[in-house]
Amino acid sequence: MQDHVQKLDQFGDVMQLPAPLTALLRRAETVTLTALLVIMAALWAFFALAAEMVDGDLRTFDEAVLLALRTPGDPANPIGGPQIQIAMRDITALGGVTVLTLVSLLVIIFLVLRRQAASALFLAITILGGQSLSHLAKSGYSRPRPDLVPHGVEVATASFPSGHSLMAAVTYLTLAVMLARVEKRGRIRAFYMLCAGLLTVLVGVSRVYLGVHWPSDVLAGWTLGAAWALGVWIVARALARRGQIEPERPTDS
């Protein structure tokens, strides 16, 4: 019995985490640890999708979803008619560089007018960083665009991951995070996040509907973009504690 106890003690000593990591975990809030776990899960999902894509295992899923959005027997004709096609083209523009740049500039100006120049600079850096992430991710994979259906809009770059979906997630979710920091009303914060999530989903759906991306391209863009935006939130909290950017306003309810 004594030998068994000694072995358990030795096992516990082996399993002890390094002192710096233990100290970090003690200082971290539960919400921060949860956010880190979500980021890890999102990154795992992205690389899992990438691996499945490289192996060709997503072809059946991608084709089934893409064809489900087309008139049976006529892949050239999307469901819903011309009005839905026009609406989807309008929605997909919300994930384009022009619109995302304009919206980002407006929010940056808003933060400057609120005398939060440090937060505005941080936001600009994170958006530019997200753009670099998008280019880097695309350069790592050379997946051709869907050839199963005609394209509803012009495209030029590789297919995986969806740049529109990734940048919509990066930009809208990051903007929502930064706007929520200066808002004390909980319901308004929730509204920011809801709008950001809705815009991100709509942009991704429009890319598949228009036939310019496989569904797995969009899923990969969403996961990577969401991981980036959540990481921005964690960094913003850390910088605020150190006084390097403006502190977050306490929420009322």
Side-chain angles (χ1 to χ4, degrees), residues 98-111:
T98 302
V99 173
L100 293 179
T101 301
L102 178 60
V103 173
S104 299
L105 285 174
L106 291 175
V107 175
I108 289 171
I109 293 172
F110 169 76
L111 292 175

Side-chain angles (χ1 to χ4, degrees), residues 138-213:
K138 277 187 173 291
S139 65
Y141 305 96
S142 301
R143 189 183 198 183
R145 294 279 179 166
D147 55 1
L148 192 63
V149 298
H151 295 169
V153 291
E154 294 295 325
V155 289
T157 58
S159 190
F160 187 95
S162 166
H164 275 64
S165 301
L166 195 160
M167 282 310 300
V170 164
T171 304
Y172 291 126
L173 292 177
T174 299
L175 292 178
V177 165
M178 297 306 293
L179 287 174
R181 296 186 74 255
V182 302
E183 175 56 56
K184 63 180 181 179
R185 290 168 293 182
R187 62 182 181 277
I188 303 299
R189 290 185 176 188
F191 177 73
Y192 287 151
M193 300 308 300
L194 178 62
C195 288
L198 179 61
L199 287 172
T200 299
V201 169
L202 288 176
V203 168
V205 170
S206 73
R207 302 305 284 174
V208 179
Y209 180 90
L210 294 171
V212 294
H213 274 295

